[in-house]
Amino acid sequence: MRILVTGGAGFIGSAVVRHLVREVGAEVLTFDKLTYAGNLANLTEIGNLPNHQFLKADICDADAVREAFQTFRPDRVYHLAAESHVDRSITGAADFVQTNVLGTFTLLEAARGYWSGLDPAAKAAFRFLHVSTDEVYGSLGPDGLFTETTPYDPSSPYSASKAASDHLVVAWGRTYGLPVLVSNCSNNYGPYHFPEKLIPLTILNALHGKKLPVYGNGSNIRDWLYVEDHARALHLIASEGRLNETYNVGGRNERSNIEVVRVVCGILDELAPKSFPHSDLITFVADRPGHDARYAIDATKLETELNWRAQENFETGIRKTVEWYLANEAWWRPLRDKVYAGERLGLLATADR
């Protein structure tokens, strides 16, 4: 089996690539532009294995995408390449529209051209899995869960761009018959997570004795999914999911942001103690614009149709995550020193009056 993975040097993408190369034994081409969040160090564990190839290229480059299809001849595409940080989308929306919308269009057209030329058996076996987010659904109230039929109601430039890409993929399935599937996941966490996101930012700031910023009063709730559980789910969806269907992937681990930060602090108090509790570093800061109150995924369809279960709950997954960052300073130190030092992102400039 030959699988083209876009965004395979990113956080979730690299977990997918590692799973496919080591556990599945697939031949994998990682296609990644290597923006600030793409990191070849994420693939060190499998980088020299004979069933893995890497191509530095942009999904918006139609020639590069077409050449990858014609040269590698994939049986499947797992599309994870995306700009993904909400805060960065607030002040730099153009990159999100370019990559997430136009890049997905470019990839779909290349996939359609390639797929149309396959022999009947290969054409029937081909799959295009588009990996998206629960943020396309907007904000939940205190009750209820996102299902695959929840109407889209995106709040940020990031979620709007992902919603647009979801619609494109579904349309290419309906209009052209391209064999597509869509997944929408809850918040991922785990090893190799770029330090701008809540959990790794909290871990690294706490290690350095820096303030731990929490937006608003910390009451925003997310459903947390261990990234390796997500990787297994994605391959299962592509292998056994019904064509032209959407599958929600969630960990059934709802936690408020302040709960998450306090749990991380407690584990660090145990594993890397300071002269004071790490929770003393918690600092509440102005909320970000359009901050959705609550996300929660109903993964019943995935669990019942495909018999998927998360292997990690939040307690086991978050401990593994903290332990990984403590043991892998060689991975995160260059990122903190040269790429992102933990500064606040997504702040709107105040107009002069």
Side-chain angles (χ1 to χ4, degrees):
M1 182 188 306
R2 300 173 68 82
I3 303 175
L4 169 63
V5 180
T6 71
F11 168 48
I12 301 174
S14 65
V16 171
V17 170
R18 293 191 301 271
H19 175 71
L20 293 174
V21 170
R22 289 188 305 201
E23 276 67 54
V24 177
E27 293 185 57
V28 176
L29 173 62
T30 294
F31 187 108
D32 199 293
K33 184 181 177 180
L34 295 182
T35 61
Y36 76 94
N39 188 351
L40 285 177
N42 296 355
L43 301 172
T44 300
E45 297 172 33
I46 51 91
N48 294 323
L49 294 180
N51 56 327
H52 177 252
Q53 304 174 46
F54 175 79
L55 174 64
K56 182 179 179 181
D58 186 345
I59 59 169
C60 295
D61 183 341
D63 291 338
V65 175
R66 282 193 296 266
E67 183 177 355
F69 273 99
Q70 293 304 322
T71 303
F72 183 66
R73 310 292 297 175
D75 304 304
R76 298 180 182 177
V77 176
Y78 295 178
H79 176 34
L80 295 99
E83 295 287 346
S84 66
H85 191 39
V86 174
D87 285 358
R88 290 182 188 266
S89 80
I90 293 170
T91 53
D95 289 341
F96 288 73
V97 174
Q98 181 73 22
T99 297
N100 299 355
V101 182
L102 296 179
T104 298
F105 163 74
T106 302
L107 188 66
L108 283 167
E109 281 293 87
R112 181 167 72 95
Y114 166 76
W115 168 76
S116 297
L118 295 175
D119 64 59
K123 196 172 182 180
F126 186 81
R127 296 291 184 270
F128 185 108
L129 171 62
H130 174 64
V131 180
S132 190
T133 171
D134 58 0
E135 298 196 30
V136 299
Y137 299 126
S139 184
L140 280 169
D143 302 311
L145 301 170
F146 293 137
T147 71
E148 288 80 1
T149 59
T150 299
Y152 278 24
D153 186 25
S155 300
S156 68
Y158 161 62
S159 57
S161 69
K162 289 299 290 184
S165 66
D166 292 8
H167 290 316
L168 286 174
V169 173
V170 171
W172 259 241
R174 292 177 182 175
T175 301
Y176 304 111
L178 187 68
V180 302
L181 303 102
V182 176
S183 66
N184 295 87
C185 69
S186 58
N187 279 41
N188 281 227
Y189 69 102
Y192 299 103
H193 204 175
F194 189 79
E196 67 190 359
K197 301 297 178 74
L198 175 65
I199 289 175
L201 178 65
T202 298
I203 295 169
L204 298 184
N205 274 16
L207 287 177
H208 294 131
K210 293 185 175 182
K211 292 180 179 179
L212 308 181
V214 177
Y215 291 164
N217 60 9
S219 64
N220 301 76
I221 292 172
R222 299 294 181 261
D223 172 20
W224 292 94
L225 173 65
Y226 194 65
V227 68
E228 293 177 8
D229 282 327
H230 188 197
R232 291 188 304 102
L234 293 177
H235 183 58
L236 184 63
I237 291 167
S239 301
E240 300 181 20
R242 289 182 288 132
L243 289 181
N244 302 305
E245 291 285 331
T246 294
Y247 291 87
N248 281 351
V249 189
R252 299 192 183 276
N253 289 298
E254 289 186 58
R255 298 290 189 281
S256 68
N257 287 348
I258 188 60
E259 287 181 88
V260 170
V261 173
R262 291 191 186 282
V263 167
V264 170
C265 288
I267 297 172
L268 288 172
D269 287 344
E270 175 189 344
L271 301 180
K274 285 184 165 50
S275 59
F276 55 87
H278 287 88
S279 59
D280 286 356
L281 299 169
I282 293 173
T283 304
F284 294 98
V285 299
D287 210 348
R288 75 178 176 211
H291 197 180
D292 290 331
R294 175 174 170 259
Y295 302 147
I297 284 281
D298 183 350
T300 299
K301 181 177 178 179
L302 176 63
E303 293 166 346
T304 56
E305 284 192 17
L306 305 184
N307 199 32
W308 175 85
R309 294 292 185 279
Q311 294 180 0
E312 303 291 343
N313 59 37
F314 186 73
E315 286 69 31
T316 61
I318 195 65
R319 177 169 285 272
K320 284 185 175 182
T321 301
V322 174
E323 290 173 345
W324 187 89
Y325 278 89
L326 290 174
N328 286 275
E329 182 174 353
W331 179 84
W332 57 256
R333 174 65 70 179
L335 299 177
R336 287 282 284 197
D337 289 348
K338 299 177 182 179
V339 183
Y340 175 70
E343 65 272 15
R344 176 77 189 266
L345 300 171
L347 288 173
L348 294 173
T350 302
D352 294 334
R353 296 184 182 277

